[in-house]
Amino acid sequence: MSTPTIAVPVSPPAATTSTPAPGGARRRGLPYRVISWVVPLLLLLTWELLARAGIIAANVLPAPSSVGVTAWRLTETGELPTHLWESLKRAAIGLAIGSSIGLMLGVLTGFSRLAEAIVDRNIQIVRAVPFLAILPLVMVWFGVGESGRYFLVALGTLFPIYLNTVLGIRQVDPKLLEMGRVIGLPRLRLVRTVILPGALPSVLLGVRLALTNAWLALVIAETVGAPAGIGFMATNAREFLQTDVIVLVIVLYALIGLSTDLIARALERRLLAWHPNYSGGKK
């Protein structure tokens, strides 16, 4: 008679709990945003110390504190706000004109081979001409009035908007276009929901480049016959060897450029929240 076999249930192995090793705490990432601001502050501090020690002559490069005193003095007299407002107004008007024309021509060229044949070659030719080369002709056309300055700023901002708009439209993923056609999207809706959002990162990059070009063009425009503006301040200070005012103008250009770039980046994060490569996007 065979003895019955009793199956003994085998208990599953106990789950191993991992205990963090001493000193194995989670490493914090480097504060890159803090570092990006600390380095310029250290450079300013070094500049100040070298100027105060007499290593850098005041007539060559005045100390940051001296430039700050000059800025405060010009602000109290109302001279600095007046010149700054004139420059901001010229940059804003020229940027609005140039970016509108550049976006319109970029969209036409991106969607139409005929428009590309008519427009693109001419824009590339004009883009290759340096600003200083066309400045005498602009003065003949517009004189020393505000129209010539608006024209130069608009011309400088048109090219990056145009080029990046065309590039963004042409580089939309063909698979997305094919998928839109497969599901039966009308052409207008395909453009609105697929092509334009796909081109938006490139267009916004063009906006950032256009903001930089706007100030570069304005520097050239304001140094020739301008009655006001921070470029006029630099030209006038050069005549009287006011190095502190010249450095102040350079600092103002840098701060304005940094501020506009931060605004453009914030715009990118807001409009491209759906994109995985931008802050706010979900990967």
Side-chain angles (χ1 to χ4, degrees):
M1 185 175 181
S2 61
T3 306
T5 304
I6 301 175
V8 180
V10 181
S11 59
T16 58
T17 58
S18 58
T19 57
R26 184 180 179 182
R27 293 178 59 187
R28 294 182 178 179
L30 290 174
Y32 294 112
R33 187 179 296 273
V34 177
I35 294 174
S36 68
W37 289 105
V38 168
V39 173
L41 292 177
L42 289 176
L43 291 176
L44 282 176
L45 180 61
T46 304
W47 175 11
E48 179 74 26
L49 294 176
L50 292 176
R52 288 183 177 272
I55 298 176
I56 301 178
N59 61 343
V60 174
L61 191 63
S65 58
S66 175
V67 177
V69 170
T70 301
W72 180 259
R73 174 174 54 83
L74 293 176
T75 302
E76 284 186 328
T77 60
E79 183 178 353
L80 182 57
T82 300
H83 290 301
L84 187 58
W85 167 249
E86 289 295 327
S87 294
L88 290 174
K89 182 177 67 174
R90 290 169 185 147
I93 294 175
L95 178 64
I97 297 173
S99 58
S100 300
I101 297 175
L103 182 63
M104 180 186 65
L105 294 178
V107 170
L108 288 176
T109 304
F111 284 109
S112 171
R113 293 293 180 181
L114 177 61
E116 180 183 9
I118 297 173
V119 173
D120 187 70
R121 185 75 63 190
N122 298 308
I123 287 185
Q124 299 301 335
I125 292 173
V126 177
R127 188 173 70 91
V129 179
F131 266 79
L132 292 177
I134 66 172
L135 186 59
L137 186 59
V138 172
M139 293 181 66
V140 171
W141 286 348
F142 301 100
V144 292
E146 293 297 318
S147 301
R149 299 181 187 95
Y150 297 152
F151 175 80
L152 286 174
V153 176
L155 191 65
T157 57
L158 182 150
F159 301 127
I161 296 289
Y162 168 80
L163 292 174
N164 282 275
T165 300
V166 175
L167 182 65
I169 292 173
R170 296 284 173 84
Q171 287 188 340
V172 173
D173 193 348
K175 295 180 181 178
L176 294 177
L177 298 177
E178 185 63 28
M179 182 182 66
R181 295 189 184 98
V182 168
I183 64 177
L185 287 179
R187 180 172 177 81
L188 184 60
R189 191 174 178 186
L190 183 69
V191 170
R192 183 171 56 87
T193 60
V194 177
I195 298 178
L196 292 183
L200 191 57
S202 182
V203 174
L204 292 177
L205 175 60
V207 171
R208 291 179 62 184
L209 296 175
L211 288 170
T212 303
N213 282 12
W215 290 105
L216 292 176
L218 191 63
V219 171
I220 299 174
E222 287 187 339
T223 53
V224 182
I230 53 180
F232 166 78
M233 286 178 59
T235 305
N236 196 41
R238 181 192 62 190
E239 300 296 331
F240 295 97
L241 300 179
Q242 296 174 323
T243 315
D244 53 347
V245 178
I246 297 175
V247 175
L248 173 61
V249 170
I250 295 173
V251 171
L252 286 175
Y253 278 127
L255 292 177
I256 293 171
L258 177 63
S259 301
T260 53
D261 188 69
L262 290 176
I263 293 172
R265 289 190 176 194
L267 187 65
E268 281 184 345
R269 288 193 296 269
R270 182 174 181 83
L271 296 179
L272 300 175
W274 53 271
H275 201 289
N277 292 335
Y278 291 85
S279 177
K282 295 181 181 180
K283 294 186 178 181

